[in-house]
Amino acid sequence: MLKIGELASLAGVSRDTLRFYEKHGLIIPSQRTESGYRLYSNIDVERISFIVSAKEVGFTLNEIHQLLELEVTKDKKSCQDVKEFVDNKITIVNQRLLEIEKIKHSLQTLSDACCGGDEPATQCTILGALNEQAR
Amino acid sequence: MLKIGELASLAGVSRDTLRFYEKHGLIIPSQRTESGYRLYSNIDVERISFIVSAKEVGFTLNEIHQLLELEVTKDKKSCQDVKEFVDNKITIVNQRLLEIEKIKHSLQTLSDACCGGDEPATQCTILGALNEQAR
DNA sequence: CTTGACTCTAGACTATACTCCAAGGTTTAT
DNA sequence: ATAAACCTTGGAGTATAGTCTAGAGTCAAG
Ligand SMILES: [Zn+2]
Ligand SMILES: [Zn+2]
Ligand SMILES: [Zn+2]
Ligand SMILES: [Zn+2]
């Protein structure tokens, strides 16, 4: 059994983060000492590793919550369920990707139209474009 | 001169948003009535239009703050300054783009490895990969 | 037996961008 | 004259993901 600081350094997160995850129901230590210290088991170690891995591939804490439920009840869930979950996330990520690409292109268009010279920016096409009333 | 509700519907934002922008120094009405109602001038209308346009191309309110300073002091700034600002933002956006692409590919890899079948997810490669300790 | 390292809780604070609410004052229309 | 519509302020709440602090308790070593 590990104390919070030990698990924290093992998992590469802060003690505060562990307590934060606990508050949000992601990882609850299997035990407490008499004096109230959190004690984490091997299963808890696996769980935090799951959380960290899931974070790394872009899941939000909320989504990780749902993933953990899939994980825990995996004998009652099918591969289809899990794959669907991931595919939904891919759809969301894709939308975000398109948005950001659109933004990038808008910015690029603004940048390309500006001469970038030394003269005062009174006629700058960037400021001009942002000032445009009509749309 | 427009009252807050008039400017709000003209600009396509809420009254609350206008007050929020004011609190953050983005747009301060030129005048107030005796009873304290905000009154917005033509210049204010242009300013909110600038803000809305800048938001649409992906600038944060903080960046819009800086952009507005460029706008206001544009006779003392060069096209180079403005273009640099936009190019810095493009760099930031690009980094975000790469991050999200990485996430997308990770998720795609996870998804591709899962059979998506009807059988229980006890052996699901997705859950397995997220559970992996070593990295 | 005391010092330092560690832990506990509750709650405040960060950043981003609003949105909503309460309680009251003002304007406009009927 | 009165109700509806609009305005004011300050402050709380939303979502995301923590970080930090204060004040107090615990534990191991010298
Ligand atoms: Zn120029
Ligand atoms: Zn320019
Ligand atoms: Zn399968
Ligand atoms: Zn599977």
Side-chain angles (χ1 to χ4, degrees), chain A residues 77 80 83 87 111 114 121 135, chain B residues 56 77 87 111 114 117 121:
Chain A
K77 299 288 178 177
Q80 199 179 6
K83 188 168 177 148
D87 287 345
S111 175
C114 172
R135 234 157 344 102
Chain B
E56 266 166 26
K77 298 288 178 177
D87 287 347
S111 175
C114 172

Side-chain angles (χ1 to χ4, degrees), chain A residues 113-121 123-125, chain B residues 78-80:
Chain A
C114 172
C115 73
D118 269 350
E119 81 276 15
Q123 302 300 322
C124 179
T125 52
Chain B
S78 63
C79 263
Q80 199 178 7

Side-chain angles (χ1 to χ4, degrees), chain A residues 50-84:
Chain A
F50 184 97
I51 294 171
V52 169
S53 304
K55 263 191 69 64
E56 266 167 25
V57 296
F59 288 107
T60 66
L61 295 189
N62 209 311
E63 288 160 347
I64 292 172
H65 216 315
Q66 297 168 254
L67 268 175
L68 281 166
E69 267 159 39
L70 285 181
E71 195 2 63
V72 166
T73 62
K74 61 185 164 190
D75 42 342
K76 286 172 184 154
K77 299 288 178 177
S78 64
C79 262
Q80 199 179 6
D81 296 325
V82 181
K83 188 168 177 148
E84 240 168 50

Side-chain angles (χ1 to χ4, degrees), chain A residues 45-46 49-50 52-54 56-59 67 70-71 74-75 77-80 82-83 86-87 89-90 93-94 96-97 100-101 103-104 106-108 110-112 114-122 124 126-127 130-133 135, chain B residues 45-46 49-50 52-54 56-59 67 70-71 74-75 77-80 82-83 86-87 89-90 93-94 96-97 100-101 103-104 106-108 110-112 114-122 124 126-127 130-133 135:
Chain A
V45 174
E46 280 176 37
S49 149
F50 184 97
V52 169
S53 304
E56 266 167 25
V57 296
F59 288 107
L67 268 175
L70 285 181
E71 195 2 63
K74 61 185 164 190
D75 42 342
K77 299 288 178 177
S78 64
C79 262
Q80 199 179 6
V82 181
K83 188 168 177 148
V86 172
D87 287 345
K89 180 64 178 180
I90 291 175
V93 168
N94 246 331
R96 188 82 192 105
L97 206 54
I100 295 187
E101 260 160 16
I103 285 170
K104 181 186 162 182
S106 302
L107 288 172
Q108 198 62 63
L110 278 178
S111 175
D112 289 349
C114 172
C115 73
D118 269 350
E119 81 276 15
T122 40
C124 179
I126 293 174
L127 297 177
L130 292 175
N131 248 325
E132 246 160 49
Q133 228 88 309
R135 234 157 344 102
Chain B
V45 174
E46 280 177 38
S49 149
F50 184 96
V52 169
S53 305
E56 266 166 26
V57 297
F59 288 107
L67 269 175
L70 285 181
E71 207 340 79
K74 61 184 163 190
D75 43 341
K77 298 288 178 177
S78 63
C79 263
Q80 199 178 7
V82 179
K83 188 169 177 144
V86 173
D87 287 347
K89 179 65 178 178
I90 290 175
V93 167
N94 245 331
R96 187 82 191 106
L97 206 55
I100 295 185
E101 262 161 14
I103 284 170
K104 181 185 163 183
S106 302
L107 288 171
Q108 198 61 64
L110 278 178
S111 175
D112 289 349
C114 172
C115 72
D118 269 349
E119 82 277 16
T122 40
C124 179
I126 293 174
L127 297 177
L130 292 175
N131 248 324
E132 247 161 48
Q133 227 87 308
R135 245 164 327 108

Side-chain angles (χ1 to χ4, degrees), chain B residues 19 22 25 47-48 61 72 81 85 95 101 103 107 109 115 117 125 129 134:
Chain B
R19 285 187 279 250
E22 180 175 344
R47 201 172 168 93
I48 191 66
L61 295 189
V72 166
D81 295 326
F85 188 90
Q95 281 164 2
E101 262 161 14
I103 284 170
L107 288 171
T109 302
C115 72
T125 52

